[in-house]
Amino acid sequence: MPAALANAVMRELAGGSYLISSSPTAAIVGPRPVPHGLHLLATIITAGMWSVVWLGHTVSQAHVVRLTMDPVRGVVREYLPFRRSPYAA
């Protein structure tokens, strides 16, 4: 993996993502799973006020990022729709 791509992947991992797959020229990183059980408990305890935070957390997890190496442009970042499994049809 080229150094520029490795650095981009490390920045994503430092931001809280996890590595789904990688190859010498590309990597796919995705969001951590949302702990829905804890959010439900917090929503019940706060009489529904926590649901705004829960919704925001869930919506922010809406994509995975594919980082590819392009010889002309360098590291290219593409946002892909999030699915529970990136390999699902």
Side-chain angles (χ1 to χ4, degrees):
M1 184 178 292
L5 182 58
N7 288 337
V9 170
M10 291 307 292
R11 279 193 300 273
E12 291 290 330
L13 297 179
S17 296
Y18 71 99
L19 185 64
I20 295 172
S21 70
S22 67
S23 71
T25 59
I28 298 177
V29 293
R32 298 249 179 236
V34 176
H36 292 291
L38 292 176
H39 283 288
L40 177 62
L41 180 64
T43 300
I44 291 169
I45 291 172
T46 62
M49 293 190 309
W50 188 260
S51 64
V52 176
V53 175
W54 186 5
L55 179 64
H57 194 176
T58 302
V59 170
S60 71
Q61 303 293 316
H63 64 271
V64 296
V65 178
R66 178 174 35 207
L67 301 166
T68 56
M69 208 53 215
D70 186 325
V72 176
R73 298 184 292 172
V75 177
V76 177
R77 180 187 186 110
E78 298 175 74
Y79 291 97
L80 307 172
F82 178 70
R83 292 177 276 184
R84 187 54 55 199
S85 170
Y87 307 108

